[in-house]
Amino acid sequence: MSESLAKKGRKQAYKMVLLQLGISAALVLIGLLISWQVSMSLGVGSLIVIVAHFVFATIVFRKSGAQAAEAVQKAFKIGESLKILLTIGLLIFAFTVLPVHPPSLLIGYVIIVLSQWFVPLIVKSS
């Protein structure tokens, strides 16, 4: 049973990531109306959040259940720490290496972070 709970949670988390990817694609298309650099920057900013969220979901939803409570707690701590470090690393990489428009990158980043509050209303447990 606990294995099915982990699969169910992982499935919901991946649905959330896919919806965020859809929002990111819409941002990129909207950015194309302005310029290629703005479009790319919106995409990079949103992908930073999506990649970090995907890694977090993959780590956290490996196990579940009362018997695995300690493992779940440890996975959550590891997942959250890795998510933060990955986000910081990707932001540093984007700002120092890629030819991005910083305000657009931050706008894309913030929109996807805010979508984490609203996407769960769409992705309901089934």
Side-chain angles (χ1 to χ4, degrees), residues 67-87:
Q67 293 180 343
E70 195 172 309
V72 171
Q73 183 181 17
K74 183 178 179 183
F76 184 84
K77 288 178 183 177
I78 291 170
E80 189 63 31
S81 298
L82 191 56
K83 181 179 177 180
I84 292 168
L85 291 173
L86 189 58
T87 300

Side-chain angles (χ1 to χ4, degrees), residues 15-104:
K15 278 184 186 179
M16 193 165 160
V17 170
L18 283 174
L19 280 170
Q20 289 175 329
L21 200 55
I23 295 168
S24 176
L27 283 175
V28 168
L29 292 175
I30 292 168
L32 281 174
L33 298 173
I34 300 168
S35 75
W36 178 86
Q37 187 181 26
V38 167
S39 177
M40 184 191 74
S41 299
L42 286 167
V44 168
S46 57
L47 283 177
I48 289 171
V49 179
I50 293 169
V51 167
H53 189 187
F54 177 78
V55 169
F56 173 79
T58 302
I59 291 170
V60 169
F61 290 108
R62 286 188 179 164
K63 295 184 179 186
S64 68
Q67 293 180 343
E70 195 172 309
V72 171
Q73 183 181 17
K74 183 178 179 183
F76 184 84
K77 288 178 183 177
I78 291 170
E80 189 63 31
S81 298
L82 191 56
K83 181 179 177 180
I84 292 168
L85 291 173
L86 189 58
T87 300
I88 292 168
L90 289 172
L91 282 169
I92 290 170
F93 176 79
F95 283 125
T96 58
V97 176
L98 300 177
V100 295
H101 181 247
S104 299

Side-chain angles (χ1 to χ4, degrees), residues 96-119:
T96 58
V97 176
L98 300 177
V100 295
H101 181 247
S104 299
L105 186 140
L106 292 175
I107 288 169
Y109 179 88
V110 168
I111 287 173
I112 300 301
V113 167
L114 292 177
S115 78
Q116 291 178 352
W117 296 351
F118 302 108
V119 169

